[in-house]
Amino acid sequence: MKTRIKELRARYDLTQEDLANKVGVRRETIGFLEKGKYNPSLKLAYKVAKTLETTIDELFIFEESDLE
């Protein structure tokens, strides 16, 4: 799964640490999300999307292989 977290985080001039603090996770979790190495819970996906003023659909890019 690909994400636009890094791109949108930059728009708001937020560091990984800033975003992590706003959504209640560790900085490493944001790094893993940005690299596509962690699938977030629906609750975390919603918090990140809301913080970055976007939708989950716009934030996370699903590919057919992600659904297998």
Side-chain angles (χ1 to χ4, degrees):
M1 172 176 58
K2 296 179 182 177
T3 74
R4 296 180 59 217
I5 295 173
K6 187 173 183 176
E7 170 192 341
L8 295 171
R9 188 172 52 76
R11 182 183 297 172
Y12 294 100
D13 197 31
L14 294 172
T15 65
Q16 287 182 344
E17 187 76 31
D18 294 335
L19 181 56
N21 289 335
K22 288 179 181 287
V23 300
V25 297
R26 296 175 42 206
R27 181 199 55 79
E28 291 84 0
T29 302
I30 300 300
F32 288 144
L33 284 171
E34 289 181 354
K35 293 177 184 175
K37 295 184 177 189
Y38 179 75
N39 289 326
S41 66
L42 182 57
K43 184 176 180 180
L44 178 56
Y46 177 79
K47 285 181 175 181
V48 173
K50 185 173 180 180
T51 300
L52 296 175
E53 299 181 6
T54 191
T55 64
I56 291 173
D57 286 346
E58 288 293 320
L59 189 60
F60 297 96
I61 302 155
F62 293 95
E63 298 174 346
E64 284 296 318
S65 61
D66 296 327
L67 301 174
E68 296 175 356

